[in-house]
Amino acid sequence: MAARDYTTAPIADQLGIPSIIAGLCGDLEQLRNGEITVNDAMARSMLAKQIFNGVRLYLNGTKLLSENARPISAIDSKDSSS
């Protein structure tokens, strides 16, 4: 098992990922107990999938922006040298 990355854990909490996972677990229990239909469970899982796609886009965008980020002084010196 890979070591947990504690520096990104707050992002997971900020995006509400633990509650989404808990909701999916609850949906599975409700399905097994016959409290919701298969169609309801599938709709909820597809919604969660789209939420996770959004989280993926957010994390990829954050990574891209942080990789291209430069200190303001580096930006100023580049502009003045042109």
Side-chain angles (χ1 to χ4, degrees):
M1 184 175 190
R4 181 171 177 182
D5 184 3
Y6 288 98
T7 59
T8 59
I11 293 173
D13 292 336
Q14 181 182 10
L15 296 175
I17 293 174
S19 63
I20 294 169
I21 293 170
L24 287 171
C25 292
D27 293 344
L28 182 59
E29 287 179 15
Q30 288 179 332
L31 179 63
R32 288 178 175 165
N33 293 333
E35 298 169 6
I36 61 173
T37 66
V38 172
N39 288 339
D40 287 338
M42 288 178 60
R44 294 175 186 187
S45 70
M46 287 190 290
L47 179 61
K49 180 181 178 181
Q50 292 305 313
I51 291 170
F52 283 121
N53 281 336
V55 169
R56 179 185 51 81
L57 290 172
Y58 170 82
L59 293 175
N60 286 341
T62 303
K63 180 182 175 193
L64 176 69
L65 291 174
S66 66
E67 288 173 350
N68 293 332
R70 297 177 297 191
I72 293 175
S73 59
I75 295 170
D76 290 339
S77 64
K78 183 177 181 184
D79 290 339
S80 62
S81 65
S82 299

